[in-house]
Amino acid sequence: MKLFAIGAFALASLAASTAVAQTAGPANPGPVIPGVCVFFNQRLLAQSTAGQAVQARMAQLSQEVQGELTPYATSIQTEIQTLQTSGASLSEAERNSRSQALQQRIQEAQQLEQTRDNELRYTLGEQRRLISVAVEPILVAIYQERGCGILLSRESVFMMNPAMDVTDLAIQRLNTALPSLSFNRLPVPVQQPGQ
């Protein structure tokens, strides 16, 4: 457990330092390097209207899944308590039968939870893919308009002159091209053998 706590702390520290680096910036950002452009995909996903719609809808879908799974957990917990309190008064055969039935329900609930988790992950991935498909021609156009010789990911750049960042322009154009996304939870496609 310590490893997870350390990892979480490191991740939180990294996120905080990234946020500071993005907002504070150096007092003298240095020269604009001709032909070098920078794009921050995470910021586009967080600040574009389509990205915000995905975040809001995924939160709703997560709540729906939680609402679907909660009755299973409640029912299982009730059955566990019933078995614990009345277990001594039951015959061994009845206790074993009820325990096996309970174990089966627990496995079914775990399988449903895993299925829903996979569906949510797949749904999020598909929505992000749709945003990427929409933003790709926008980035190509910006790349050509700005005369970029290279377009770097902001995740791999520690500091830069903000004038080289094309993210705001990409967000503006994406908001026009793809103002929102509406979707439901998607089933995960079944993999065919040999694929």
Side-chain angles (χ1 to χ4, degrees), residues 56-118:
R57 182 65 178 139
M58 288 304 299
Q60 291 172 342
L61 292 175
S62 293
Q63 286 179 332
E64 288 174 14
V65 166
Q66 191 64 36
E68 180 183 7
L69 297 174
T70 298
Y72 286 96
T74 302
S75 171
I76 289 168
Q77 187 62 38
T78 301
E79 181 63 20
I80 290 171
Q81 290 172 347
T82 302
L83 276 174
Q84 288 174 343
T85 57
S86 65
S89 64
L90 298 173
S91 70
E92 187 173 336
E94 177 68 18
R95 192 171 42 250
N96 287 341
S97 173
R98 287 177 69 174
S99 291
Q100 287 175 354
L102 178 60
Q103 186 61 36
Q104 178 67 29
R105 288 178 51 213
I106 290 170
Q107 289 173 351
E108 289 169 0
Q110 289 171 335
Q111 186 175 11
L112 179 62
E113 181 179 28
Q114 184 63 47
T115 298
R116 294 299 181 255
D117 185 55
N118 289 341

